[in-house]
Amino acid sequence: MGNFRKAASLFAAAREVCELASGPENLLEAGLLLANILHFEAWMHTKLVRQAPARTPQQALKMTKRALNLRLSLLGPSDQKVAASYGNLAMFAVATGEYEDSLRFSKACLDIRMQDETAQTTNISCTHLYYGWCYAKMNRLVDAEISLLKAIDVLVQHFGEECARKKPHFTWIRTAQASLYLKMGREEDAYEADMQVFETNKAVYHSTSPRVFVSWYKAAWWSWRKGNLEDAQETVEGLCREMEDADHYEGHRARTLNLLSNIYGALGLEGQCQVVRAKAVELARSVEGWNWNYDGDAGFDEL
């Protein structure tokens, strides 16, 4: 499991060195290194949220635009690293609500990646995923479904279905499909997608992988949603035990404890509900800051 906080501090130190580099002999090397650092520092917002170098999606977007400008000036407009910057911009523009910009960034990304279609298969699939996320946020649900189906088809056509299912991108797409289907009222399709992700992640990754934690949580959430409270309680308690020694995932642990408190409440275990809810709020504040206030499940969902 990666120590993202340690990586963030190392990236910051490396960025400082690059910023101080001077002289024409250092321009290309230092500029490309700085672009790479900025790119990954921005991306780390998806892992560390407010504890990342880019504490908000807006800061991540700004950092990625700087990386893009460096890559454009040093590598030219057709380099695959330029495409990667456009991909990051597409992702962060969704988070900031700049949906038309996200679509424009996705198009620029896809145009470059399609120039090397065979080598860029997984990245092309990921670009269709960005389109899907954006369309879903815009409530263009049919377009979102088409984009996500394209994302899967790209993987299956290149790798074959069995191999494609083991790719991280495949589970990302299926997770996005589950969220979309829930929004469309297709609950059983959403449940099937989430359960497929859970089974795949258990088979491919170690039990302490964050991917397993997330899909394990969704399995428990579905049991709770379907009213299978005892099963939901057993599943979440098992997940909480597994996560006790897992560092760097306070936001997910907080969300999981909040779900457990909801289950205890539904079972009439009010004392346990309050104790666990307090732990969840404390963890959430360790991520978001001590002025974070509990305002229901929506606040935890945003961690």
Side-chain angles (χ1 to χ4, degrees):
M1 187 183 300
N3 187 329
F4 291 115
R5 290 200 188 99
K6 184 175 181 180
S9 66
L10 291 173
F11 274 130
R15 173 162 46 84
E16 185 176 348
V17 171
C18 288
E19 297 275 20
L20 294 173
S22 61
E25 70 280 5
N26 295 325
L27 180 60
L28 178 61
E29 185 176 350
L32 289 177
L33 181 57
L34 178 59
N36 291 342
I37 292 167
L38 289 166
H39 180 89
F40 284 107
E41 280 191 312
W43 173 83
M44 289 181 74
H45 175 77
T46 65
K47 300 296 181 183
L48 296 176
V49 194
R50 295 189 187 279
Q51 298 175 40
R55 297 180 182 276
T56 66
Q58 289 80 5
Q59 290 176 347
L61 193 69
K62 183 178 180 180
M63 193 174 280
T64 305
K65 284 181 178 178
R66 188 177 172 204
L68 171 64
N69 289 335
L70 282 166
R71 287 173 168 175
L72 281 169
S73 65
L74 297 170
L75 298 172
S78 300
D79 193 271
Q80 292 300 331
K81 287 189 175 182
V82 171
S85 289
Y86 280 125
N88 256 13
L89 287 174
M91 177 175 62
F92 289 125
V94 170
T96 60
E98 299 168 77
Y99 303 133
E100 293 296 338
D101 281 348
S102 178
L103 295 178
R104 181 168 57 83
F105 293 139
S106 286
K107 182 181 185 307
C109 177
L110 190 60
D111 285 346
I112 298 170
R113 285 176 169 167
M114 290 300 292
Q115 294 174 24
D116 192 6
E117 188 173 354
T118 302
Q120 295 295 319
T121 296
T122 54
N123 287 329
I124 290 168
S125 172
C126 200
T127 309
H128 287 299
L129 172 59
Y130 297 152
Y131 271 117
W133 280 338
C134 189
Y135 285 138
K137 287 290 188 179
M138 298 171 78
N139 283 319
R140 293 172 56 177
L141 304 186
V142 173
D143 288 330
E145 182 175 19
I146 290 170
S147 292
L148 295 178
L149 288 172
K150 279 184 183 176
I152 284 182
D153 188 60
V154 167
L155 293 178
V156 170
Q157 291 298 321
H158 185 81
F159 296 106
E161 187 162 353
E162 185 176 350
C163 185
R165 288 174 183 270
K166 297 177 182 178
K167 299 291 181 183
H169 300 72
F170 186 89
T171 56
W172 300 345
I173 299 160
R174 289 295 278 159
T175 298
Q177 284 181 316
S179 177
L180 175 65
Y181 292 149
L182 203 56
K183 196 171 184 178
M184 297 172 82
R186 292 162 55 180
E187 190 148 319
E188 285 308 308
D189 287 338
Y191 174 75
E192 180 185 339
D194 273 334
M195 291 304 99
Q196 184 183 42
V197 170
F198 184 36
E199 293 304 320
T200 299
N201 284 344
K202 284 194 300 182
V204 174
Y205 300 106
H206 190 272
S207 63
T208 57
S209 164
R211 291 190 175 98
V212 175
F213 288 159
V214 171
S215 53
W216 195 343
Y217 169 88
K218 289 305 293 284
W221 182 87
W222 275 110
S223 291
W224 176 63
R225 184 177 178 88
K226 288 173 175 287
N228 303 325
L229 298 180
E230 288 78 10
D231 180 62
Q233 177 185 354
E234 181 180 353
T235 303
V236 178
E237 287 177 343
L239 174 56
C240 287
R241 285 192 297 271
E242 195 70 44
M243 293 178 68
E244 280 179 0
D245 298 324
D247 295 328
H248 324 304
Y249 297 104
E250 288 87 347
H252 184 60
R253 290 169 62 201
R255 188 164 54 249
T256 303
L257 287 171
N258 180 61
L259 176 59
L260 183 57
S261 72
N262 287 339
I263 294 166
Y264 284 152
L267 288 168
L269 304 173
E270 195 57 36
Q272 290 168 266
C273 171
Q274 295 302 322
V275 169
V276 173
R277 176 70 48 73
K279 290 181 180 178
V281 170
E282 182 180 5
L283 271 174
R285 287 175 176 163
S286 74
V287 175
E288 294 290 313
W290 294 104
N291 60 345
W292 185 88
N293 291 314
Y294 172 70
D295 62 351
D297 295 342
F300 286 99
D301 290 341
E302 292 174 1
L303 294 176

